[in-house]
């Protein structure tokens, strides 16, 4: 199977932390990069960040920079999103998605260029 599975969502208190996982199967991180997106109720989907084995490091949206960290465990074929200092504004369904690795420098935050999506996992932050 070629798929992505997002997991780890749940309820957190403001100021707390959660770690999301994105498990990949059926393709290699050598050829594809992974992005994280989120969509809050009534709002457009927005890019959170992305990671590629061929890039200089993860990239982050300004809204999460300094609070969120993306990492990759290639042995487990899994990408993580560590979320710290959570606020109610982080409440959303979080998705991981796949993009061809050579595109990541230009299209990290553009969801139209991602060709495979996980099912999403809900993060709720109490205020």
């Amino acid at each position: 199977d070629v798929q992505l599975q997002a997991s780890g969502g749940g309820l957190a208190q403001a100021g707390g932390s959660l770690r999301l996982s994105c498990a990949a199967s059926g393709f290699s991180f050598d050829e594809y990069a992974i992005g994280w997106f989120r969509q809050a109720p009534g709002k457009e989907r927005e890019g959170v960040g992305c990671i590629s084995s061929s890039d200089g490091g993860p990239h982050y949206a300004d809204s999460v920079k300094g609070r969120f960290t993306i990492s990759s465990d290639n042995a487990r074929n899994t990408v993580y999103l560590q979320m710290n200092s959570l606020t109610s504004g982080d409440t959303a369904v979080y998705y991981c998605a796949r993009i061809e690795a050579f595109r990541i420098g230009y299209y990290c935050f553009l969801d139209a260029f991602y060709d495979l999506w996980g099912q999403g996992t809900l993060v709720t932050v109490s205020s």
Side-chain angles (χ1 to χ4, degrees), residues 2 20 24 27 29 44 48 52 58-59 61 63 67 71 73 77-79 82 93 113 116 120-121:
V2 178
L20 307 184
F27 64 92
F29 287 166
E44 298 293 319
V48 175
S52 172
H59 304 277
S63 60
R67 299 189 298 120
S71 61
D73 185 339
N77 214 31
T78 301
V79 171
Q82 178 67 47
V93 177
F113 290 88
L116 181 70
T121 185

Side-chain angles (χ1 to χ4, degrees), residues 3-110:
Q3 62 178 346
L4 294 169
Q5 296 188 55
S7 62
L11 178 65
Q13 303 90 350
S17 299
L18 281 174
R19 188 178 74 163
L20 307 184
S21 298
C22 177
S25 62
F27 64 92
S28 172
F29 287 166
D30 293 331
E31 300 174 1
Y32 293 94
I34 299 295
W36 285 97
F37 293 81
R38 67 185 184 183
Q39 187 166 26
K43 296 185 177 180
E44 298 293 319
R45 185 160 58 194
E46 64 175 345
V48 175
C50 58
I51 190 169
S52 172
S53 62
S54 62
D55 208 4
H59 304 277
Y60 303 98
D62 289 341
S63 60
V64 306
K65 191 174 298 181
R67 299 189 298 120
F68 291 10
T69 302
I70 301 172
S71 61
S72 178
D73 185 339
N74 292 333
R76 296 182 178 181
N77 214 31
T78 301
V79 171
Y80 302 97
L81 178 64
Q82 178 67 47
M83 305 184 295
N84 298 326
S85 301
L86 287 164
T87 74
S88 60
D90 297 315
T91 295
V93 177
Y94 284 73
Y95 302 89
C96 60
R98 183 184 77 171
I99 189 171
E100 291 176 288
F102 72 89
R103 298 185 183 273
I104 192 169
Y106 297 100
Y107 306 120
C108 174
F109 301 102
L110 300 179

